[in-house]
């Protein structure tokens, strides 16, 4: 009579063990995913702590504003690159494009604003046309955008053969505005992250964009035009590029045909650092903004270490490789979890 309860208890114990088996991997996988999303924040926090350790005076309103000021145009250039990466393309022309916008802002915008607006709209339309051609002709984006980079650079040189020009007073004043409580770069980072998040993860358009990057055949099967959709993505990237260029010339008050040449590679690095991938439609708007802040802080930290500018690009690359190595390790943990 007493054997039956024992067998029942043993059976219940084995059943509880069996039922509890899948719970641990599930929690482990969620933990790895949280770690993956937290990595950009961790990288930014470590760099910020290193900067404050090296230069304690940076821990102030003025210090943070000085540290992160150049991140403002880079954040919007990064959002432009993120839009292209979201459809599994790559844009090698965003740097020259931002330089062209800055050249327009320093030459045409102060004296002939109507012509400047038309030129900027034409530049966005050219971006949209490039996206349509890439989709309709099945051309590799890396080749098309590389060709576009020379077009943008040539137009910028025609407008501004030598560094100079002058930004409009209203634009310079806007970029020099002293925001309450927190420096402008932090407010701009919050704005860029919220706009990108709402656009990519909270809107129907964002769902289509990620679908185009991950499974374009499925998007086409439900009746959407892939040509129009890719053209819209490129147009939106062009709009972010225009915002970036105008903010850049507002900060510098003048322009140069090569003023944003480094934005091409830095924007790619910022998107990848923030959790994006080259294929599959995997991007993180909040992570991309954090990545842009991290890349800006890395340059400032290397300056505080008295590292020559010629070596700073290489050191930034090493920092990026280190973070990407950690991401790869986390990806492998996610596969085994």
């Amino acid at each position: 009579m007493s054997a039956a309860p024992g067998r029942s208890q043993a059976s219940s114990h084995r059943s509880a063990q069996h039922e509890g088996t899948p719970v641990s991997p599930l929690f482990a996988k969620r933990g790895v995913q949280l770690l993956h999303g937290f990595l950009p924040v961790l990288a930014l926090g470590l760099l910020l702590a290193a900067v404050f350790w090296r230069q304690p005076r940076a821990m102030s309103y003025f210090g943070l504003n000085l540290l992160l000021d150049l991140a403002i145009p880079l954040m919007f250039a990064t959002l432009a690159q993120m839009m292209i990466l979201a459809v599994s393309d790559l844009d090698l022309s965003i740097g020259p494009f931002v330089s062209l916008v800055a050249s327009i802002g320093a030459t045409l915008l102060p004296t002939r604003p109507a012509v400047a607006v038309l030129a900027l709209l034409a530049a966005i339309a050219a971006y949209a046309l490039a996206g349509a051609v890439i989709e309709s002709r099945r051309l590799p984006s890396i080749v098309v955008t590389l060709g576009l980079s020379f077009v943008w650079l040539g137009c910028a040189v025609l407008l501004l053969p030598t560094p100079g020009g002058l930004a409009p007073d209203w634009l310079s004043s806007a970029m020099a505005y002293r925001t309450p409580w927190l420096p402008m770069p932090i407010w701009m980072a919050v704005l860029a992250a919220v706009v990108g998040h709402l656009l990519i993860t909270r809107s129907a358009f964002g769902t289509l964009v990620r679908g185009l990057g991950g499974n374009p055949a499925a998007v086409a099967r439900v009746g959407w035009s892939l040509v129009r959709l890719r053209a819209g993505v490129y147009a939106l990237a062009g709009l972010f590029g225009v915002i970036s260029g105008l903010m850049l010339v507002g900060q510098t008050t003048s322009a140069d045909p090569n003023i944003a040449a480094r934005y091409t590679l830095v924007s790619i690095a910022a998107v990848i650092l923030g959790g994006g991938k080259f294929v599959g439609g995997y991007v993180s708007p909040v992570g991309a903004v954090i990545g842009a802040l991290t890349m800006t802080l890395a340059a400032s930290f290397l300056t505080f270490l008295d590292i020559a500018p010629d070596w700073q690009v290489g050191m930034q690359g090493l920092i990026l490789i280190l973070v990407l190595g950690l991401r790869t390790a986390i990806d492998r943990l996610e596969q085994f979890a």
Side-chain angles (χ1 to χ4, degrees), residues 35 79 91 127 137 146 165 230 234 261:
L35 182 61
L79 288 180
D91 186 5
Y127 240 96
R137 299 299 180 184
L146 180 62
R230 196 174 296 270
Y234 272 71

Short mmCIF file of all heavy atoms in Angstrom, two decimals, residues 35 79 91 127 137 146 165 230 234 261:
data_model
loop_
_atom_site.label_atom_id
_atom_site.label_comp_id
_atom_site.label_asym_id
_atom_site.label_seq_id
_atom_site.Cartn_x
_atom_site.Cartn_y
_atom_site.Cartn_z
N LEU A 35 21.94 40.83 -23.06
CA LEU A 35 23.35 41.20 -23.10
C LEU A 35 23.72 41.76 -24.46
O LEU A 35 24.47 42.73 -24.56
CB LEU A 35 24.21 39.98 -22.77
CG LEU A 35 25.73 40.19 -22.72
CD1 LEU A 35 26.08 41.21 -21.64
CD2 LEU A 35 26.44 38.87 -22.47
N LEU A 79 21.66 57.49 -39.07
CA LEU A 79 20.29 57.08 -39.37
C LEU A 79 20.09 56.89 -40.87
O LEU A 79 19.36 55.98 -41.30
CB LEU A 79 19.31 58.12 -38.84
CG LEU A 79 19.12 58.19 -37.32
CD1 LEU A 79 18.10 59.27 -36.96
CD2 LEU A 79 18.67 56.84 -36.76
N ASP A 91 25.59 51.94 -48.28
CA ASP A 91 25.73 53.26 -48.90
C ASP A 91 27.15 53.78 -48.71
O ASP A 91 27.54 54.13 -47.59
CB ASP A 91 24.72 54.22 -48.29
CG ASP A 91 24.72 55.58 -48.99
OD1 ASP A 91 25.43 55.72 -50.00
OD2 ASP A 91 24.02 56.49 -48.52
N TYR A 127 18.69 60.55 -54.79
CA TYR A 127 18.85 59.39 -53.90
C TYR A 127 17.73 58.38 -54.15
O TYR A 127 17.96 57.16 -54.25
CB TYR A 127 18.82 59.85 -52.45
CG TYR A 127 20.07 59.53 -51.67
CD1 TYR A 127 21.08 60.47 -51.53
CD2 TYR A 127 20.25 58.29 -51.07
CE1 TYR A 127 22.23 60.20 -50.81
CE2 TYR A 127 21.39 58.00 -50.36
CZ TYR A 127 22.38 58.96 -50.22
OH TYR A 127 23.51 58.67 -49.52
N ARG A 137 16.94 47.20 -61.70
CA ARG A 137 17.99 46.60 -62.53
C ARG A 137 18.81 45.55 -61.79
O ARG A 137 19.75 45.00 -62.36
CB ARG A 137 18.94 47.71 -63.04
CG ARG A 137 18.28 48.75 -63.90
CD ARG A 137 17.68 48.13 -65.14
NE ARG A 137 17.02 49.12 -65.98
CZ ARG A 137 16.36 48.83 -67.09
NH1 ARG A 137 16.27 47.56 -67.47
NH2 ARG A 137 15.77 49.77 -67.79
N LEU A 146 28.93 53.88 -54.72
CA LEU A 146 30.32 54.31 -54.93
C LEU A 146 30.40 55.29 -56.09
O LEU A 146 31.10 56.31 -56.01
CB LEU A 146 31.21 53.09 -55.19
CG LEU A 146 32.69 53.39 -55.44
CD1 LEU A 146 33.32 54.05 -54.22
CD2 LEU A 146 33.44 52.11 -55.80
N GLY A 165 32.93 79.72 -47.58
CA GLY A 165 31.49 79.92 -47.49
C GLY A 165 31.09 80.39 -46.09
O GLY A 165 31.94 80.54 -45.20
N ARG A 230 11.88 50.59 -52.19
CA ARG A 230 13.31 50.88 -52.05
C ARG A 230 13.60 52.34 -52.38
O ARG A 230 14.46 52.96 -51.75
CB ARG A 230 14.14 49.95 -52.95
CG ARG A 230 15.62 49.93 -52.59
CD ARG A 230 16.37 48.88 -53.40
NE ARG A 230 15.93 47.54 -53.12
CZ ARG A 230 16.44 46.75 -52.18
NH1 ARG A 230 17.44 47.21 -51.42
NH2 ARG A 230 15.99 45.54 -51.99
N TYR A 234 15.46 55.02 -49.84
CA TYR A 234 16.61 55.85 -50.22
C TYR A 234 16.28 57.33 -50.11
O TYR A 234 17.14 58.14 -49.73
CB TYR A 234 17.05 55.51 -51.65
CG TYR A 234 18.05 54.38 -51.71
CD1 TYR A 234 17.67 53.07 -51.44
CD2 TYR A 234 19.38 54.60 -52.03
CE1 TYR A 234 18.57 52.02 -51.49
CE2 TYR A 234 20.30 53.57 -52.08
CZ TYR A 234 19.89 52.29 -51.81
OH TYR A 234 20.80 51.26 -51.85
N ALA A 261 33.84 63.52 -45.22
CA ALA A 261 34.29 62.33 -45.95
C ALA A 261 34.35 61.10 -45.04
O ALA A 261 34.03 59.98 -45.47
CB ALA A 261 35.66 62.60 -46.56
#
